[in-house]
Amino acid sequence: MSPRALVLLAEGSEEMETVITVDVLRRGGVEVTLAGLEGDAPVKCSRNVVLVPDKSLDDSLKSVPYDAVILPGGGPGAKALASSPKVKVLLADQEAAGKIIGAICAAPTALLAHSIGKGKTITSYPAFKDALSGDYSYSEARVEVDGSLITSRGPGTTFAFALELVKKLLGDAGEEKVKELSAAMLL
């Protein structure tokens, strides 16, 4: 059975971080659901690219648990994720089960808002360092892995972030799949 990942999509999400992550995960054999925070209608991202979710978050929650829950960045998108009670419960349940949580760019601020992974080592878009440093051990690595929490910096680090998710989700087969995908995508 393929691992399953839920990628959350909110108005103002960063489109590169969303699409690259979904694409690389699917290339890696992960069953991915792109879930619209506010429903299944098209969502306008941070640079006015419109993405269509596979289904709404409400419908996606009927299929929990997921092996990974992933939050793309984008300032307005991250704020929407940070203020969502449904996302809070989803992330708390994911963390309690020891399952993977991924957050990139501005999205670690949603982790902070929902008290997820406090005390762990994380990274984010540089502008959020001060806001996150008090509750987390802050790193400036391109991708940071602390147990089942995977974080990354921004659009330019999305391939590395997505490949790290593939590696973690596939377990023993992950390293070989990452090599295969990297070669195929000319990374």
Side-chain angles (χ1 to χ4, degrees), residues 21-97:
T21 300
V22 169
D23 181 271
V24 171
L25 287 170
R26 287 181 176 163
R27 288 174 192 248
V30 177
E31 181 187 321
V32 180
T33 300
L34 181 60
L37 181 65
E38 300 299 331
D40 60 2
V43 174
K44 188 182 283 189
C45 293
S46 63
R47 305 299 180 278
N48 296 319
V49 172
V50 176
L51 299 177
V52 180
D54 297 316
K55 57 173 78 171
S56 69
L57 178 58
D58 286 338
D59 284 344
S60 300
L61 292 175
K62 296 173 186 171
S63 300
V64 293
Y66 291 89
D67 299 298
V69 173
I70 302 153
L71 286 63
K79 284 180 185 173
L81 296 173
S83 66
S84 169
K86 291 175 192 170
V87 171
K88 179 182 181 107
V89 170
L90 174 65
L91 292 174
D93 289 349
Q94 191 79 1
E95 182 177 48

Side-chain angles (χ1 to χ4, degrees), residues 48-159:
N48 296 319
V49 172
V50 176
L51 299 177
V52 180
D54 297 316
K55 57 173 78 171
S56 69
L57 178 58
D58 286 338
D59 284 344
S60 300
L61 292 175
K62 296 173 186 171
S63 300
V64 293
Y66 291 89
D67 299 298
V69 173
I70 302 153
L71 286 63
K79 284 180 185 173
L81 296 173
S83 66
S84 169
K86 291 175 192 170
V87 171
K88 179 182 181 107
V89 170
L90 174 65
L91 292 174
D93 289 349
Q94 191 79 1
E95 182 177 48
K99 295 191 176 280
I100 297 167
I101 296 172
I104 185 169
C105 193
T109 61
L111 302 179
L112 175 63
H114 298 310
S115 297
I116 300 298
K118 287 193 172 183
K120 290 194 169 198
T121 301
I122 67 165
T123 192
S124 71
Y125 193 77
F128 301 105
K129 178 181 180 177
D130 290 343
L132 297 167
S133 291
D135 292 282
Y136 300 95
S137 175
Y138 194 84
S139 163
E140 293 186 8
R142 292 172 56 81
V143 177
E144 190 61 58
V145 180
D146 189 338
S148 58
L149 182 61
I150 302 172
T151 54
S152 190
R153 308 276 284 169
T157 64
T158 307
F159 279 105

